[in-house]
Each structure stands twice: as C-alpha cells, then as structure tokens.
Amino acid sequence: MAEIIGVTFKDGGKLYYFAPNGEKYEKGTGVIVETARGVEYATVVMPCTDMPDESITAPLKPVLRAATPKDEETHRKNLEKRAGAFDTVREKIEKFNLDMKLIDCEFAFDGSKAIFYYSSPQRVDFRELVKELSSTFHMRIELRQIGIRDEIKLMGGIAPCGRECCCSSCMPNLKKVSIKMAKNQGLSLNPQKISGLCGRLMCCLEYENDYYAEACKRMPKIGSEAGTPDGKGTVVNIDMLKMTVRVRIEDRQKDTVAFRDYPVDEIKFRRAGRPEEDDEEENAAESEPQEERKKPFGKGESSDGRQRRDERPQRHGKPPRGDRPESDGQNKERAQDGENGENTRPPRENNGGRNGKRRPHRKNREKNMP
C-alpha cells in the first residue's frame, strides 16, 4: 500500500497521483508539483489515501510544497494573461493567412513558455508564426494540433441531452466508442440522434455498455420465432431493462392476433444457432449414464464414426504398402548390400551430363550400323 493524493491541473482534467511525503492536504488545496513539463500548479481533488501498489505507476513524484500566497498570485496572473494572448495569436494567424483554428492557450507556472492548441484539417507550416510570437511574448512558444474530440473537451458545450458535455465535465479520459454499442442498446442508428457536438458517437454510449452487452446475449432477436406458454409466436419488441419480450401470437382457428409480454425466462427461442431450448430433453440428456452417452469407438473407427485410413478397404485389389512384395530389382539391390548395411555395389558409370560422354543421336546410330 502506498499513500497518495490526487490532483488535477485544470477543471475536469485528468487525475494524477503524487506522493504527499507524510504531509496532509485537504480537498481543494493548491499544491506545487514537478512534472515532465516542469514545475506546475495543481489543485487537490482526492485527499491523502492508501492505494494498492498495482493501481499506481511507480515511482511516484513527490509534492514539492503547499501553494503559498505568492504562488496563488502567480497562478492568478497566468490565468488573466490567457485572454489577451488568445486575441494576439488570432490576429497573427489572420496576418499570415494560415488555415488553423485557435482553441485554447496556457502559460507555464514559471513563465518560461506558452502553449497554444489549434485544430486544422491538414498540416500547417507555422514556422514564421512561431518566430513572430516568440518576439512578441519573449518566451518559448509551442503550437499543438488536436482533434475534434479534444477540441470540444477544451471548449465545452451543452450536449443534446441538455447537460454539459461529458468529456469536459466528468470524463477525464476519452474512451473508445463504436456503433456496436448503439446496436446493443437498441438505439436508432440515425447519426443525428447518437452523435455529439463533435460529430462523433456520444461518449455516454460507453457508460452502460457492459450491462447491455450481457443482456443482449439473453434476449431473442426481433422477428424471430419464440415458444410461449400460450403457443408459438413472433418477437416484435424487447425490453432489456425489464428483461421482458413482447410476442405476437396468431390464432388462425379463431382468426385473432394477440400481443403479450413475457419474461425472457418463460419463453423458448433459438439462441446463437442452437435449436429451441427444451427443458425436458436437457434433463433427459443429463440423466443418461455416462457410459451410454460416451460409447467406445469400434476397431478402425474414429471419433466421428468413420473408418481409419489404415483400416479402409483397398481399392483396385492392391495390398497395403507394408504388405506389398518386393520386386526382383529390389531383392538384387538388397543382396548386394553388406552385412553391416554398407553398400558394396560398384559405382554406376556416368554416361551423360557435362563431364560424361553423350550417347549419339538415334539417326547417327542408324547410319553407323553395318
């Protein structure tokens, strides 16, 4: 177990763990920490607590100190400079006629550099812009290109549900969302209804995906046949929250059609390519003795009842390879071998090839004949 505190560098940002070094920090307290980008100001959102070593990435960087009034004043001035710097950079972008949209900016705590975030459909050559900004702000300048989802996360906004966007309020890390999540939840596949402000699939589709993915395996497909206590029918609707199925039952003798709801455990339907479930058949199969269900294979039979290769009848009257008699040529060659298995036959003469003599052509042989 390790003692940690959780801090964030901006509202709704990602949570980072640091070692308090025995000090106690309350929630909402400002602290000074050291990161890969240098010394930064952060706000405590998780007080001191113990956490298993498997849940953290060692080694943890320590908290340098609690923020002093001077540190608070420096942080406040950095926030105030953002608005003026934003307008200045936007004017410079229009001056150089660059195809880029400025999203956000921030200053390092020690005032050594400024970071500007922008979005663009393509790569932008901003070398001249960086030179102009460096001479204007007299500090190091960084321009970082971000995607459309990160743009909405930084800017924020009101989602189609009427609340603030999840990515900018309660979701520090952007998670992967797929169209299969919308299918599992039975939502309309209309892009206008399942897309957020960024034009991508809404992040909230991932919240309850684990439950719907498991419930979808237990439900029948709409349009499939199902057996109910009142007879067979067709599935017309499913409710994965109540785990009920609405079935259309047609009685041709009385010329009537009824729609009834049943719990999913009371109906029988085809599931994942298997035949319709029958409790009586399953119970009967389970009650069979193990010896009767697993019969031993017959001689020359495989697990699927087919004859093995070495036990199949021979075709064309040929005996198996192991039982075929040796030819006279093979017997003569075997007799020429020594007792120790060494080959005592004389080497064959090389009558062809590059180094050997070629036999004359058939026409030449006929001419030389007497």
Side-chain angles (χ1 to χ4, degrees), residues 243-258:
M243 297 301 293
T244 58
V245 180
R246 178 165 296 181
V247 183
R248 178 181 183 271
I249 303 175
E250 182 177 358
D251 190 351
R252 296 185 177 181
Q253 296 180 355
K254 299 181 180 180
D255 195 15
T256 58
V257 176

Side-chain angles (χ1 to χ4, degrees), residues 180-182 184-185 205-214:
K180 186 177 180 180
M181 297 180 181
N184 290 340
Q185 300 179 30
L205 294 177
E206 193 270 339
Y207 289 164
E208 301 176 353
N209 180 63
D210 295 339
Y211 169 79
Y212 281 102
E214 189 65 26

Side-chain angles (χ1 to χ4, degrees), residues 76-94:
R76 184 183 62 81
K77 290 181 178 180
N78 289 336
L79 295 179
E80 293 177 353
K81 290 191 299 184
R82 295 173 58 182
F86 195 91
D87 297 335
T88 302
V89 175
R90 181 177 293 177
E91 294 175 0
K92 300 296 183 180
I93 292 175
E94 296 177 356

Side-chain angles (χ1 to χ4, degrees), residues 217-221 224-227 235 245 264-265 267-272 274-277:
K217 298 178 182 178
R218 301 177 53 190
M219 304 295 287
K221 293 184 178 180
S224 61
E225 294 185 358
V235 178
V245 180
V264 68
D265 297 333
I267 64 174
K268 303 174 185 178
F269 56 91
R270 188 179 299 273
R271 180 179 297 162
R274 296 172 52 189
E276 295 183 359
E277 300 175 352

Side-chain angles (χ1 to χ4, degrees), residues 28-49:
T29 305
V31 292
I32 305 300
V33 296
E34 184 177 1
T35 65
R37 299 192 300 179
V39 178
E40 296 288 341
Y41 177 92
T43 304
V44 178
V45 295
M46 180 187 295
C48 297
T49 182

